[in-house]
Amino acid sequence: MAIATINPTTGETVKTFEPLTDAVIETKLALAQTAFKQYQRLPFEQRSMWMQKAAEILERDREIYAKMMTLEMGKTLKSAIAEVEKCALVCRYYAKNAAQFMADVPASTDASSSFVRYQPLGVILAVMPWNFPFWQVFRFAAPTLMAGNVGLLKHASNVPQCALKIEEIFTEAGFPEGVFQTLLVGADKVGKIVADDRIKAATLTGSEPAGESLAAQAGKNLKKVVLELGGSDPFIVMSSADLPAALSTAVISRMLNSGQTCVSAKRFILAEEIAEEFIAGFVEKFEQLKVGDPMLPETDIGPLATPAILKELDNQVQACIASGAKLLTGGHALSEKAGNFYLPTILTDIPLDAAARQQEFFGPVALVFRVANIDEAIELANSTSFGLAATAWTTVSSECDRFISELEAGAVFINGLVKSDPRLPFGGIKRSGYGRELSIQGIHEFVNIKTVWVK
């Protein structure tokens, strides 16, 4: 993929960028290593000042950054503004809490003094996706920089202006030169960068193939990785649920970011008693959504990020229908529009052997299933290779307990919208990845957990 800004609303190529040469990459790696030697020694108070300044810059210029995201990958402007504000939130969270999270933890042993000390590792490589161009980066960068590490960002090739702007934000905030740098390079350069001795660990948010590739490269070089990959998250609605609340949340969850969210609900598992009513409301609400220019405040669904994503999604939908599934609404692109627009789509009656049951639909497509009881709901929810997050709606405490204990996911939300929160760890199991971002667990992913024993 060329490194370029291509407006997904119009298909227009706005700006192209030349990938960095090997010589420039070497210069940036050397600068990062030099910066780390000094930066790791700085007190938390200094790092915190700079991180709070980054939050202020984000809030000051939120509309500028939001318009850049909308231009490059098509999310609605209102959701892009909310994304920038969330980035400021995570900066403030770690500015406030990093010193406490990284403090020595005493242990009682036979020594005069024994404790655990957390120390930064060095240069950390982040390979980040296009769907949340700012949030995905800041939820990595805030804990990583506050821990005393330095960061190198290899962003998705279709959001280069966002990638460069994020580096500018950290520079303006006061972070020393080399502490956070953007590398405009293609995926073909990642393996060589990971193998470099100056890179101590890596993190990736993206597809399963991308995660497999990075994990293999890092494993070959004995380096730690954190992976946040795909999801086919279940949204279970039992007969006791608050149906209007569940229905409204279901639409929001599936349509967030035009359906291009790994942690959004994708499979809607309904108790037979409420299935007909839920489906009728679901179809009605989908058909009321406004698809169009993401810059306009009345737009609910913008374009998909690239023509390739649109084509892949439509291929999945058509294959699902061909396998015997029933189309309730949508099911095709908006050919009268120039950009990558796809109608909100609902599929049901999906055969047991359909490939769709094991796939992630990365766009505005919902798969609907019916179940007779909680046993069937849990079995169906756990029947994919993914395990990112799950939602269940019930007012029965025994059902609630079973969902919390038995759903195979990195997160379980009861009667609410799944979302990432700086105060809670975020990540998956199975083929959704491993490791955690955010909270205290996130800042501890890229540190040396050093045992100290003194007598």
Side-chain angles (χ1 to χ4, degrees):
M1 180 186 293
I3 300 177
T5 300
I6 301 174
N7 187 343
T9 303
T10 65
E12 173 196 5
T13 299
V14 178
K15 193 172 184 179
T16 59
F17 297 81
E18 285 297 319
L20 299 183
T21 65
D22 288 344
V24 175
I25 295 171
E26 168 57 32
T27 298
K28 288 182 174 289
L29 282 166
L31 178 59
Q33 180 66 14
T34 299
F36 173 67
K37 291 176 182 177
Q38 299 301 319
Y39 182 70
Q40 65 176 319
R41 298 187 177 95
L42 295 177
F44 284 103
E45 293 78 10
Q46 178 62 75
R47 296 179 208 158
S48 178
M49 271 181 42
W50 291 330
M51 194 60 71
Q52 291 182 70
K53 179 62 176 177
E56 293 168 9
I57 294 167
L58 285 161
E59 290 170 339
R60 181 194 71 197
D61 294 335
R62 57 170 70 88
E63 291 200 12
I64 294 172
Y65 307 138
K67 288 178 179 177
M68 185 176 294
M69 281 191 272
T70 299
L71 171 68
E72 290 204 304
M73 60 71 56
K75 68 172 69 244
T76 61
L77 183 61
K78 56 191 173 186
S79 67
I81 291 172
E83 180 172 334
V84 178
E85 292 170 343
K86 192 171 183 178
C87 292
L89 179 68
V90 78
C91 288
R92 288 205 167 91
Y93 175 80
Y94 281 106
K96 177 182 178 182
N97 293 296
Q100 173 190 341
F101 291 161
M102 295 284 287
D104 292 347
V105 178
S108 179
T109 70
D110 57 339
S112 303
S113 172
S114 53
F115 54 92
V116 175
R117 174 160 293 178
Y118 301 106
Q119 293 181 304
L121 295 177
V123 184
I124 313 298
L125 174 68
V127 181
M128 293 288 108
W130 47 263
N131 58 334
F132 290 91
F134 268 57
W135 170 242
Q136 304 280 13
V137 177
F138 276 90
R139 79 182 191 191
F140 149 76
T144 299
L145 300 191
M146 284 304 303
N149 296 302
V150 304
L152 287 175
L153 169 65
K154 187 277 182 235
H155 217 326
S157 294
N158 59 326
V159 290
Q161 294 191 64
C162 289
L164 292 170
K165 188 58 69 174
I166 292 168
E167 179 179 338
E168 289 180 19
I169 291 169
F170 284 117
T171 299
E172 184 183 344
F175 285 92
E177 184 183 19
V179 168
F180 187 93
Q181 299 177 83
T182 285
L183 304 178
L184 290 187
V185 297
D188 60 312
K189 297 290 187 182
V190 171
K192 185 176 179 181
I193 294 170
V194 170
D196 191 286
D197 287 342
R198 290 164 292 192
I199 299 295
K200 301 306 180 187
T203 181
L204 178 143
T205 298
S207 67
E208 289 176 84
E212 290 171 356
S213 176
L214 183 71
Q217 292 158 354
K220 183 178 179 181
N221 291 281
L222 295 179
K223 295 179 183 180
K224 182 178 183 179
V225 293
V226 169
L227 301 176
E228 196 264 280
L229 308 177
S232 186
D233 293 355
F235 188 107
I236 302 169
V237 185
M238 301 303 290
S239 59
S240 68
D242 180 339
L243 210 57
L247 187 55
S248 296
T249 305
V251 176
I252 294 169
S253 182
R254 181 69 289 245
M255 293 298 124
L256 182 67
N257 208 29
S258 302
Q260 300 167 117
T261 308
C262 50
V263 77
S264 67
K266 299 182 178 72
R267 295 178 296 136
F268 297 83
I269 300 170
L270 312 176
E272 281 284 4
E273 297 92 331
I274 53 85
E276 288 296 334
E277 183 180 354
F278 186 98
I279 291 169
F282 210 30
V283 171
E284 181 182 1
K285 286 180 179 294
F286 266 46
E287 292 179 345
Q288 291 171 350
L289 294 168
K290 183 172 177 57
V291 180
D293 185 346
M295 290 289 186
L296 300 178
E298 64 268 24
T299 297
D300 299 304
I301 309 293
L304 300 182
T306 69
I309 293 166
L310 177 71
K311 182 179 180 180
E312 180 181 359
L313 182 71
D314 189 54
N315 287 343
Q316 288 177 292
V317 170
Q318 302 314 320
C320 189
I321 295 170
S323 74
K326 181 180 179 181
L327 176 67
L328 299 182
T329 188
H332 61 85
L334 288 178
S335 56
E336 68 272 18
K337 290 185 179 289
N340 312 319
F341 295 93
Y342 203 85
L343 277 176
T345 296
I346 300 175
L347 297 165
T348 191
D349 297 342
I350 300 159
L352 287 172
D353 60 350
R357 284 177 172 257
Q358 294 298 322
Q359 295 173 336
E360 177 181 30
F361 283 68
F362 216 59
V365 177
L367 310 182
V368 174
F369 304 85
R370 300 168 184 249
V371 292
N373 52 52
I374 189 172
D375 294 322
E376 287 187 12
I378 293 172
E379 182 179 6
L380 180 55
N382 292 341
S383 66
T384 75
S385 60
F386 297 107
L388 193 52
T391 316
W393 291 75
T394 178
T395 56
V396 178
S397 60
S398 60
E399 290 181 343
C400 178
D401 290 341
R402 285 197 63 190
F403 286 132
I404 291 170
S405 297
E406 298 179 33
L407 288 174
E408 297 170 355
V412 175
F413 280 57
I414 304 296
N415 300 329
L417 177 71
V418 172
K419 57 187 177 182
S420 55
D421 183 320
R423 298 165 295 186
L424 294 169
F426 182 85
I429 60 172
K430 302 198 289 189
R431 292 191 65 81
S432 289
Y434 47 78
R436 291 295 180 265
E437 297 177 287
L438 303 176
S439 190
I440 187 171
Q441 288 81 8
I443 201 170
H444 285 168
E445 286 287 4
F446 297 126
V447 298
N448 175 19
I449 304 174
K450 180 182 286 185
T451 294
V452 179
W453 189 99
V454 179
K455 191 169 184 178

